[in-house]
Amino acid sequence: MKDVISFLNDAGFYFLATVDGDQPRVRPFGAHVEYEGKIYFSTNSQKEIYKQILSNPFVEISGVDPAGRWIRLSGEAVVDNRTEIKEKMIEANPALSSRYNANDAIFTVFYLKNPQATLFSFTEEPKKIL
């Protein structure tokens, strides 16, 4: 898990893909945190991504680090709206505090259930890290 979090930190931002009907949807994200051995990300319950995840919870994350390696991280997004995880998300990603607080009903936090992660590069064989 630490390798995945470290990679996402190094990448700075990543892309999160969902499904909207029969169409893929991809958007940039940056906020994430590890808590209780799980990878968490957050969004706003008023956004289309929230509706897409509720309709089909399987998501994939991809990001590139400064060395040119990339990650594919996939799993099932599960809502976890405990106040303590919202606080951890804001603590780890202070920019979120300008839009949300831990008691905010639209601030929604997800963790990845059964995550799988593989690192890729142009010079090495793919390496499963989770």
Side-chain angles (χ1 to χ4, degrees):
M1 187 68 64
K2 296 220 183 290
D3 289 342
V4 172
I5 295 298
S6 178
F7 188 94
L8 294 176
N9 289 342
D10 289 347
F13 72 94
Y14 52 89
F15 294 91
L16 191 141
T18 60
V19 176
D20 183 15
D22 63 352
Q23 296 295 308
R25 299 289 182 229
V26 181
R27 75 276 294 153
F29 268 65
H32 59 277
V33 70
E34 179 185 3
Y35 185 64
E36 297 178 331
K38 298 174 185 164
I39 300 168
Y40 285 84
F41 66 93
S42 62
T43 192
N44 177 325
S45 65
Q46 305 301 304
K47 293 184 176 183
E48 288 299 312
I49 184 174
Y50 175 81
K51 296 172 195 166
Q52 292 160 7
I53 292 172
L54 291 184
S55 178
N56 182 343
F58 295 97
V59 300
E60 187 163 278
I61 289 171
S62 185
V64 179
D65 74 4
R69 299 177 307 157
W70 65 97
I71 192 170
R72 283 190 186 154
L73 168 62
S74 61
E76 182 179 353
V78 178
V79 173
D80 183 348
N81 275 329
R82 294 178 291 160
T83 302
E84 67 190 80
I85 187 54
K86 289 181 175 185
E87 289 170 347
K88 293 288 183 188
M89 180 63 74
I90 291 169
E91 181 183 313
N93 303 277
L96 293 174
S97 67
S98 67
R99 291 177 283 185
Y100 308 113
N101 66 65
N103 297 310
D104 192 334
I106 66 170
F107 182 42
T108 305
V109 181
F110 294 89
Y111 71 88
L112 289 180
K113 180 179 173 183
N114 301 319
Q116 297 181 31
T118 304
L119 283 181
F120 297 87
S121 82
F122 290 113
T123 59
E124 299 174 16
E125 291 296 314
K127 179 182 175 187
K128 188 169 176 95
I129 60 171
L130 190 60

